[in-house]
Amino acid sequence: MHVLLSGVVGSTAYGLAHADSDVDRLGLFAAPTVEFHGLHRPAESHVSTAPDRTLHEAAKWCRLALSCNPTASELVWLPEDLYEVRTPLGDELIAIRRSFLSARAVRNSYLGYATQQFRKLTTRDPGDPRSRAQGAKNARHLVRLLEQGLALHETGEVTVRLAEPERVRELGEHLAENPADATPLLADAEQRFDRPGALPDAPDEAPAEAWLRAVRATHLTPA
């Protein structure tokens, strides 16, 4: 496995981490090209819990990024200080990051994941302390996804580190206790996503295709 790009993501990257937060890491790797020539394809992802790390094979990461998956996409938009592994191919991927973006995919992904958090928020058991804590986490993610998604839709830029993390944290606490107050936030987000934004209608797959072919050529011969 050749890790091409890796960094710290999640609550640490957003500025929402607290003393008990886990440190989440995300990266992408290139499997040796020869492994694609047999009956069985190589594993597309490797997930570990000690430390908490997810690594996606290069092709899978590209597919996730072309669908504007929020978690996968943020890897190429991290603040410089959060990268732990950067290679020349990783830097090339960062350079073409805007080509993965599209208006419909951003709307579907960010608004879709925020709506999932809302459903979790409204179906939790308010009498369970563990459920209450999870509800606050769901609410923070809901707010974060809406704010990051709308900023991306309207500016064409992914902002990983939140400008006002304390406000997001406080709003999350409020929504955890008052889930119905999230309804107008979602409605407003839908209206804003429906307006013309800064993103193209479809992604430009050509740079991703060229980059992935370069990855395969680089790792054609086992080291």
Side-chain angles (χ1 to χ4, degrees):
M1 187 194 307
H2 305 275
V3 177
L4 305 179
L5 192 66
S6 180
V8 176
V9 295
S11 59
T12 302
Y14 310 141
L16 294 172
H18 52 78
D20 297 324
S21 295
D22 295 326
V23 178
D24 299 311
R25 290 174 168 84
L26 176 68
L28 63 90
F29 69 96
T33 304
V34 68
E35 292 189 13
F36 293 90
H37 297 166
L39 288 174
H40 305 289
R41 299 178 67 84
E44 289 195 314
S45 298
H46 295 277
V47 180
S48 65
T49 55
D52 291 325
R53 185 174 75 159
T54 298
L55 294 173
H56 295 305
E57 209 284 318
K60 179 178 181 179
W61 185 90
C62 285
R63 292 193 297 270
L64 289 170
L66 286 166
S67 70
C68 295
N69 175 280
T71 304
S73 298
E74 69 186 38
L75 177 61
V76 291
W77 294 87
L78 291 176
E80 294 289 325
D81 60 301
L82 294 181
Y83 284 110
E84 296 181 324
V85 176
R86 287 185 68 160
T87 65
L89 282 168
D91 285 338
E92 289 177 22
L93 187 62
I94 292 173
I96 63 170
R97 61 191 180 183
R98 289 178 178 80
S99 65
F100 289 90
L101 301 173
S102 62
R104 180 178 297 180
V106 165
R107 184 190 194 281
N108 291 344
S109 293
Y110 283 82
L111 188 56
Y113 280 113
T115 302
Q116 286 182 16
Q117 298 298 326
F118 179 65
R119 292 196 190 102
K120 293 177 180 178
L121 188 60
T122 56
T123 56
R124 68 182 180 86
D125 178 5
D128 183 347
R130 292 174 299 178
S131 178
R132 188 179 298 113
Q134 183 60 47
K137 183 177 181 179
N138 294 143
R140 288 195 298 273
H141 283 311
L142 185 157
V143 175
R144 173 186 62 79
L145 285 162
L146 291 182
E147 294 195 356
Q148 289 179 327
L150 288 168
L152 175 54
H153 173 73
E154 294 169 353
T155 69
E157 298 281 325
V158 176
T159 303
V160 175
R161 185 168 283 155
L162 299 172
E164 300 178 279
E166 190 57 37
R167 180 185 59 80
V168 172
R169 189 178 292 107
E170 291 176 357
L171 182 54
E173 293 291 337
H174 171 78
L175 295 179
E177 297 299 325
N178 306 274
D181 288 354
T183 301
L185 294 179
L186 289 165
D188 177 68
E190 285 193 52
Q191 293 180 356
R192 289 171 64 181
F193 274 121
D194 286 340
R195 299 170 192 159
L199 299 175
D201 292 335
D204 180 4
E205 294 187 358
E209 180 73 22
W211 179 82
L212 191 55
R213 289 177 181 271
V215 170
R216 298 294 179 240
T218 300
H219 297 91
L220 180 60
T221 302

